Amino acid sequence: MLNLTERKSPRSLRHNIDLGELYDQIDSLRNFVSDLASSLGKGAVRRVDRARDYAAETAREAEDVMKDNFAASLLLALGIGVLAGYFLRRSSE
């Protein structure tokens, strides 16, 4: 533990700081944060693009399956519509 006489006052610390070095460190930190944000942004864009491509491909595949099985798709849609209507009517009573 430092005695009161051993503690450095803020005034004496000011004389030991090289402002040029401090500005260089702040500039270096600013560049590091900028590079980090840029790399995170690029990674996020790549992930979003991959997810969009995957979703589009899945939608195309689903559309192809529905076209190939038109009758089954129509019956399934009709059944889901009837079921949703039943639950909506029942919940409003």
Side-chain angles (χ1 to χ4, degrees), residues 4-85:
L4 288 177
T5 57
E6 294 175 351
R7 292 184 187 165
K8 293 185 177 182
S9 69
R11 193 174 301 159
S12 65
L13 286 176
R14 250 185 259 151
H15 297 291
N16 295 332
I17 295 175
D18 181 14
L19 290 180
E21 184 179 330
L22 182 62
Y23 288 134
D24 289 342
Q25 288 177 354
I26 290 172
D27 192 43
S28 174
L29 183 60
R30 183 183 307 121
N31 290 335
F32 175 75
V33 170
S34 175
D35 291 344
L36 182 63
S38 175
S39 67
L40 288 175
K42 288 176 185 175
V45 167
R46 273 187 256 126
R47 280 189 231 113
V48 167
D49 287 343
R50 256 190 311 207
R52 184 181 15 224
D53 292 343
Y54 179 76
E57 182 62 30
T58 303
R60 277 193 292 274
E61 289 173 3
E63 186 178 356
D64 290 342
V65 167
M66 286 190 296
K67 285 179 182 178
D68 293 342
N69 302 308
F70 182 72
S73 298
L74 189 60
L75 287 174
L76 182 64
L78 181 65
I80 290 173
V82 168
L83 191 62

